[in-house]
Amino acid sequence: MSDERLAVETLDDRVVITLDRPATRNAIDAEMVAELHVVCDQVEKDPKPLLVTGGTEIFAGGADIGQLRERRNVDALAGVNSRVFDRIAALPMPTVAAVAGFALGGGAELAYACDFRIGTPSVRLGNPEGGLGILAAAGASWRLTELVGEPLAKEILLAGRTLNASEALDVRLLNEVVEPDDLLPTANRWIDRMLQNAPLALRMTKLALRMPRSAHPAFDNVAQAVLFETDEKHRRMTAFLDRKSSEALRLAAGRE
């Protein structure tokens, strides 16, 4: 439909979504949020890595200010944006944001919710919500502290600092910076790399990373117990041992 806010491509091993509101700098409105929930439904039922992008020029300039201006306390308490970003962060398989240009306000919070962020030299990340009389309530006020530490988070959230690509890379808010033509290929290579691991091991590891400290090591032991009983673990370890054995035989033959 012409009024859709997302372009969704479902592949055999991943889902790629492109924010598609170029006239508004990909502003995140209620309709886009609803479409993001639909994608989350899909990926929760059929777990695959998720790639989120706005294209090679801009990620998302923020939330839709026209809609935000009209929202009242009941809308804030409903957590319109925070609920969907939390849902993205909790998806069972890894998520990668391919970020170009501005990722501000809600756009930055969407990027923060992903597991990895690949950027271009034009990236500008920040949360200017205070200048609009509100706070960054869709994850930045706590997720950003976890990602970059409290001192820098305060600079961004209280002092209005915007990070360029080099600064974001230095603090690992961006995992890699590449030229625009390489943005999506690089983001897909990150997913390719992760998919070399066993899918269930990926899911268990991501879940372990989200567990509170008090849940460890008990959670790790239970997750490992599940993985120890899988055919995938046995197949992969057998293949590893077979390769080591073959290498040892070749080395021995070379010494004779």
Side-chain angles (χ1 to χ4, degrees), residues 230-249:
T230 61
D231 293 338
E232 184 78 356
K233 169 253 188 180
H234 187 270
R235 181 186 68 79
R236 285 172 175 258
M237 289 193 176
T238 299
F240 174 84
L241 292 171
D242 288 346
R243 286 195 302 272
K244 296 293 287 185
S245 178
S246 297
E247 290 170 7
L249 289 172

Side-chain angles (χ1 to χ4, degrees), residues 4 26 36 51 64 75 109 153 160 162 175 213 221 237:
E4 288 179 346
N26 290 337
L36 286 169
L51 195 163
D64 189 299
D75 302 301
E109 290 176 305
T162 298
N175 300 95
R213 175 63 183 85
N221 293 340
M237 289 193 176

